[in-house]
Amino acid sequence: MINIVDRKAGPTISKYIYGHFAEHLGRCIYDGLYVGTDSTIPNKNGMRTDVVEALKNIRIPVLRWPGGCFADEYHWKDGIGETSTRKKIVNTHWGGVTETNHFGTHEFFELIDQLGCDAYINGNVGSGTVQEMQEWVEYMTMAGESPMSEYRRENGREEPWTVKFFGVGNESWGCGGNMRPQYYADLYRRYQTYVRQYDKEKIYKIACGPNVDDYQWMEEVMKSAAPFMDGISLHHYALTGAWEEKGSALNFDEKYWWSLIKSAEKMDELITKHSTIMDTYDPEKRVGLIIDEWGSWLAVEPGTNPGFLYQQNTIRDAMVAAVTLNIFHKHAERVQMANIAQTVNVLQAMLLTEGSALVKTPSYHVFDLYQVHQDAQRVESYGDTIDNMSYTVSKEGDVLNLSICNYALEGDQALHFQLESLIKGVPSSRYIQGAEMDSHNDFDHPQEIIIRSFSDYAIEGNNLTLTIPAKAVLTIQLELMDLK
Ligand code: AHR
């Protein structure tokens, strides 16, 4: 039995935990989000209508752009002005393809506007100057008269935009400059000084944090720069084994089912240990841990460009998503934002596109099932630990949200929850399930995994009993009688 302490409210689960990431990588931006105004694919000002609609449906709260590794090679002035005259560059990190710069600052904010979400811009420290970063912020956010706001007006935009989050460099320990932590910490202090506050909306500044378990990086950067930051990033991808031997997204055996999920579960240990270091320099937990890259990183689909990181997405990836989101909820006091990599056609994508066709992945459906937790308050629980089962509870008003992931390969699992309050009704109860461990949606079978209504539960007073099938993720909402 599991007891749910529903009359006590825990910390708010920030909606930004449900954030996304879009890099100039493969077919994420071009083809995925942006097709241009001349495309026959239905679009509004160049943005794919079907993709925008799908992302709005899961209430995307924030989008990180333009990278990733691309961010530290991106020079924003290449991406403004008349599209046909924009400088073409080589996307050296990702396949060595030509980057037309047709999608730039104005297009990004058009997308943000259509999505109705907040902007997370990642600035260039690796190959950019302080002046370039300062001018970009001025260009985007300055309302009055200034050289950069005039420049923006010349390019057709009168009003400034709101930049909610700004990252100062990406993976500065690797593709962002191969720096050592002390050197980066000093650069961070310097660059962030010129991320000026032109707008009334405070810019939340994010320092580049560690890769996976590089605790020394966290220690050094927090020690030297904590007072100058609002957040610090952490990157951890779920792998099936060694980094160099990425497993297939579709053709895998049971061993790789477990190894990928175990790798995702490591997020709990990573957040715990990094938070402990952060506590030394920030005991008030003012600085957020920002997991701005996470998700499954598997082998690319055969026949696709290895630099495009295009992978299929199965019910196994849905397990990774649910298990990880549950971990973020557990650490809601410290985790203020997370951005799964990457929105369309790259890594653990929400959506896959081929021409005008669109497929929603099982991971997309997890974000759909879990959207009830955005900005809800975490609720504590205690009791039996059940193998291969991960769950999370939150509440908003008099509605309790319970999400459960059964990642066992075989066998239904009966669960018994006892609440403090009486259960009055069930506003919604929905789930996804994979018949096989590699069940997925593709362009021939886009509805193999869809959200279905879940009815295998019984309620008596303040007791809830459910039977969850294997390879399933479910969210049930309970209306409570006397929830305070
Ligand atoms: O998401 C793909 C890449 O992974 C990003 O560009 C980089 O930051 C990370 O190594």
Side-chain angles (χ1 to χ4, degrees), residues 315 318 362 365-366 369 430-434 449-451 471-473:
I315 192 72
H365 292 308
V366 172
L369 289 171
R430 308 188 306 154
Y431 80 125
I432 58 169
Q433 187 200 358
I449 294 187
I450 53 168
I451 295 182
K471 307 186 282 300
V473 182

Side-chain angles (χ1 to χ4, degrees), residues 297-479:
W297 193 322
L298 301 162
V300 300
E301 283 308 298
T304 64
N305 186 329
F308 280 15
L309 309 186
Y310 176 77
Q311 68 192 42
Q312 247 296 355
N313 192 300
T314 65
I315 192 72
R316 180 179 59 162
D317 299 287
M319 303 292 126
V320 167
V323 162
T324 308
L325 291 167
N326 292 352
I327 293 169
F328 292 158
H329 291 189
K330 178 179 166 191
H331 295 281
E333 292 90 342
R334 190 56 101 173
V335 179
Q336 295 181 7
M337 176 163 59
N339 311 75
I340 188 168
Q342 298 192 5
T343 322
V344 196
N345 294 331
V346 170
L347 298 175
Q348 191 175 350
M350 297 292 107
L351 303 165
L352 304 177
T353 67
E354 213 173 80
S356 61
L358 176 85
V359 160
K360 293 176 176 166
T361 65
S363 302
Y364 173 93
H365 292 308
V366 172
F367 273 70
D368 192 348
L369 289 171
Y370 270 61
Q371 59 174 294
V372 294
H373 298 292
Q374 290 192 20
D375 280 343
Q377 287 172 297
R378 194 184 67 210
V379 168
E380 304 306 327
S381 56
Y382 62 91
D384 298 340
T385 341
I386 297 136
D387 285 348
N388 309 324
M389 189 73 67
S390 163
Y391 69 94
T392 190
V393 195
S394 73
K395 69 174 181 177
E396 196 167 3
D398 58 1
V399 174
L400 192 90
N401 310 307
L402 168 62
S403 292
I404 309 171
C405 169
N406 179 2
Y407 53 89
L409 279 164
E410 301 284 334
D412 295 353
Q413 177 70 57
L415 287 178
H416 181 195
F417 292 92
Q418 190 168 75
L419 283 68
E420 293 175 320
S421 308
L422 293 174
I423 302 167
K424 198 158 98 182
V426 180
S428 114
S429 171
R430 308 188 306 154
Y431 80 125
I432 58 169
Q433 187 200 358
E436 308 297 333
M437 65 183 173
D438 60 354
S439 292
H440 62 280
N441 296 330
D442 61 24
F443 295 95
D444 295 326
H445 311 93
Q447 309 262 16
E448 186 70 25
I449 294 187
I450 53 168
I451 295 182
R452 297 174 202 278
S453 157
F454 180 82
S455 54
D456 205 353
Y457 63 83
I459 289 170
E460 215 185 302
N462 59 339
N463 290 285
L464 167 72
T465 308
L466 315 121
T467 304
I468 323 274
K471 307 186 282 300
V473 182
L474 134 101
T475 295
I476 185 165
Q477 292 193 290
L478 305 171
E479 194 186 348

Side-chain angles (χ1 to χ4, degrees), residues 64 170-171 173 210-212 233-237 291-293:
R64 176 179 185 234
N170 168 73
E171 297 197 349
W173 36 263
N211 187 29
V212 195
S233 65
L234 165 66
H235 290 180
H236 168 58
Y237 284 97
I291 324 304
D292 55 16
E293 289 188 31

